Amino acid sequence: LTPQITNLITDNCNLNRIKLNNELEKITTFFQNKKLEIEKIEELLDIRTNDDFNQLKDQALLGNKKETNILLSDTIIEEEKNLYYLNLINLRLLKIYEVLKSNNTSIETSINNLKPPIFWKDKANFSAQTKKWNKEKIKNVLNEIYKLELKLKSNTSSKNILFKKLIVDICAAANA
């Protein structure tokens, strides 16, 4: 039993002793006469993790504070991919800006005229995000993204903390 496995089990139980006892019983039953493997324990405990950054990005751009907070703790944010994540946010904001720039037509028409087109499953989400943002807020957030990108490219420590702060700031800006 490694400290990593112990922390995984206790974190999953949220200091609930009854749940902790149930999880320990489940682990002892499953791993009887077997070596403990962290991957199998994660699967057995059904630990909620999310490796899809797009869900986090979409909820932050919608300004959904509760869901953004949950996804911030559940989403695996790889430090090496922070610039890629910034690029995803940047591209989405630029698409929203492009829709807002064509103010002579309806939002739906502007979305349908985008090149490359928005994927059909994402249209409702994109439309809701477009209604939350204006040109000024987008310019401010793009400026913040630029500043963070410079910090990330320099040897700044705590890159994930800075990145998560940006996500929270984006969520707050969507609601401003």
Side-chain angles (χ1 to χ4, degrees):
L1 188 62
T2 65
Q4 184 182 14
I5 292 173
T6 305
N7 290 337
L8 181 71
I9 296 166
T10 55
D11 289 345
N12 187 49
C13 295
N14 294 325
L15 303 175
N16 182 342
R17 288 180 185 256
I18 296 170
K19 186 174 180 183
L20 179 64
N21 286 331
N22 289 338
E23 299 295 13
L24 289 173
E25 187 175 321
K26 193 187 310 181
I27 290 169
T28 54
T29 303
F30 184 81
F31 287 101
Q32 195 167 21
N33 299 325
K34 295 180 187 173
K35 183 181 177 187
L36 291 176
E37 296 176 31
I38 194 156
E39 294 84 18
K40 289 186 179 181
I41 290 177
E42 287 175 344
E43 188 177 326
L44 182 66
L45 298 179
D46 192 30
I47 295 175
R48 292 182 348 196
T49 56
N50 179 11
D51 58 354
D52 184 13
F53 175 76
N54 287 316
Q55 290 177 350
L56 175 60
K57 172 196 70 170
D58 288 340
Q59 292 304 317
L61 289 171
L62 281 171
N64 188 342
K65 292 178 183 178
K66 183 179 180 183
E67 195 63 31
T68 300
N69 191 24
I70 291 169
L71 287 170
L72 264 176
S73 63
D74 291 348
T75 303
I76 299 167
I77 298 176
E78 298 175 40
E79 195 169 296
E80 306 85 38
K81 292 185 177 181
N82 280 342
L83 295 175
Y84 170 70
Y85 299 145
L86 285 178
N87 191 35
L88 288 176
I89 296 168
N90 214 359
L91 290 174
R92 176 55 63 103
L93 286 171
L94 290 173
K95 283 281 190 190
I96 293 171
Y97 189 82
E98 190 176 330
V99 168
L100 294 174
K101 204 167 58 171
S102 62
N103 52 9
N104 57 352
T105 59
S106 72
I107 290 176
E108 293 303 318
T109 307
S110 297
I111 291 173
N112 290 333
N113 292 335
L114 282 175
K115 298 291 181 211
I118 301 295
F119 188 56
W120 65 272
K121 283 185 176 181
D122 202 25
K123 274 191 181 178
N125 205 12
F126 184 82
S127 179
Q129 289 170 352
T130 303
K131 292 173 185 170
K132 282 277 194 176
W133 291 86
N134 63 40
K135 294 177 191 176
E136 190 62 34
K137 289 196 292 189
I138 291 174
K139 286 179 184 178
N140 290 338
V141 171
L142 288 174
N143 190 29
E144 291 301 314
I145 290 172
Y146 174 72
K147 289 177 185 176
L148 179 61
E149 186 175 348
L150 289 177
K151 286 181 184 177
L152 293 178
K153 287 181 178 177
S154 66
N155 291 329
T156 307
S157 61
S158 64
K159 293 178 181 182
N160 273 353
I161 293 171
L162 293 171
F163 183 76
K164 287 181 178 184
K165 182 188 178 314
L166 176 74
I167 297 293
V168 171
D169 291 346
I170 289 172
C171 187
N175 290 319

